[in-house]
Amino acid sequence: MKLRNMTSIYLLCGDEMLLLYRRGSRVANNTYISSAGGHFEESELNDPRRCMLRELKEELGLEEAQLEDLRLRYITSRLKNGEVRQIYYYFACIPDKSLVKKSSEGELEWFKLKDILSLPMPVTAKRMLEHYLAVGQFTDELYAGATTPDGMVFTELEEFEE
């Protein structure tokens, strides 16, 4: 069985979230996804933050210093097409929407948070965002989610002593 590691970053400004209508992707084609993200390169296999920052620069032309409160919030897994797809979801605030001009991956659009779940998007992203909008946006926790045919099962990830 193969493993596919990916990152995504969701940018927020007030009560709006930036989403990308992606075209021509190997995994999420002709659908709304996070503002930037993609597959790990070999040198990034143990560093999802490095992958996300590279994708942020390549796809949106943004640097980490332009963001506020950048944090890993979700790690999800899904078995699909004989591979385990593991996605690291980051969230950050951007103080000025005009910092984002365009993307090399598709069409960018700001949406009110209340309208996000009505958009077509990959099932794992939709389940994660359902949890984020209902729970995650009000906490500082890191969540792990396993996608099932009935939805997604979440748990808080915590460090603990054995």
Side-chain angles (χ1 to χ4, degrees):
M1 188 167 300
K2 293 195 175 205
L3 177 64
R4 182 184 299 255
N5 284 305
M6 298 170 277
T7 63
S8 288
I9 181 165
Y10 287 88
L11 298 179
L12 298 147
C13 189
D15 68 343
E16 293 183 307
M17 182 180 286
L18 182 66
L19 294 178
L20 172 74
Y21 188 78
R22 187 172 293 247
R23 293 193 163 104
S25 168
R26 292 179 284 175
V27 177
N29 195 25
N30 298 328
T31 188
Y32 284 96
I33 60 165
S34 64
S35 59
H39 298 85
F40 284 40
E41 292 184 355
E42 195 170 317
S43 64
E44 299 165 337
L45 290 180
N46 292 316
D47 195 347
R49 185 182 182 93
R50 184 173 167 196
C51 175
M52 177 273 302
L53 290 173
R54 176 184 52 78
E55 295 285 356
L56 184 70
K57 177 70 174 169
E58 288 176 4
E59 295 182 11
L60 299 179
L62 294 175
E63 302 283 348
E64 182 176 5
Q66 294 173 284
L67 305 179
E68 298 171 350
D69 198 26
L70 172 63
R71 290 185 295 141
L72 175 63
R73 296 300 315 279
Y74 290 86
I75 303 167
T76 64
S77 295
R78 180 180 185 197
L79 183 61
K80 184 170 182 183
N81 298 331
E83 64 186 12
V84 175
R85 294 184 178 181
Q86 190 162 282
I87 306 173
Y88 297 81
Y89 291 101
Y90 289 82
F91 285 76
C93 295
I94 190 162
D96 182 356
K97 292 193 304 189
S98 70
L99 290 172
V100 182
K101 307 278 190 247
K102 62 180 180 170
S103 173
S104 60
E105 300 291 320
E107 300 162 28
L108 292 169
E109 190 172 346
W110 288 95
F111 290 94
K112 296 285 187 190
L113 292 178
K114 66 180 182 60
D115 299 327
I116 297 291
L117 296 178
S118 66
L119 300 170
M121 64 184 67
V123 65
T124 303
K126 184 163 280 208
R127 299 297 177 248
M128 181 277 302
L129 285 172
E130 286 172 348
H131 188 272
Y132 175 78
L133 292 170
V135 177
Q137 70 175 324
F138 306 110
T139 76
D140 290 327
E141 305 302 325
L142 173 60
Y143 296 96
T147 307
T148 70
D150 299 321
M152 189 173 279
V153 178
F154 289 97
T155 189
E156 290 179 20
L157 288 180
E158 301 176 61
E159 289 194 39
F160 59 91
E161 299 295 322
E162 292 183 39

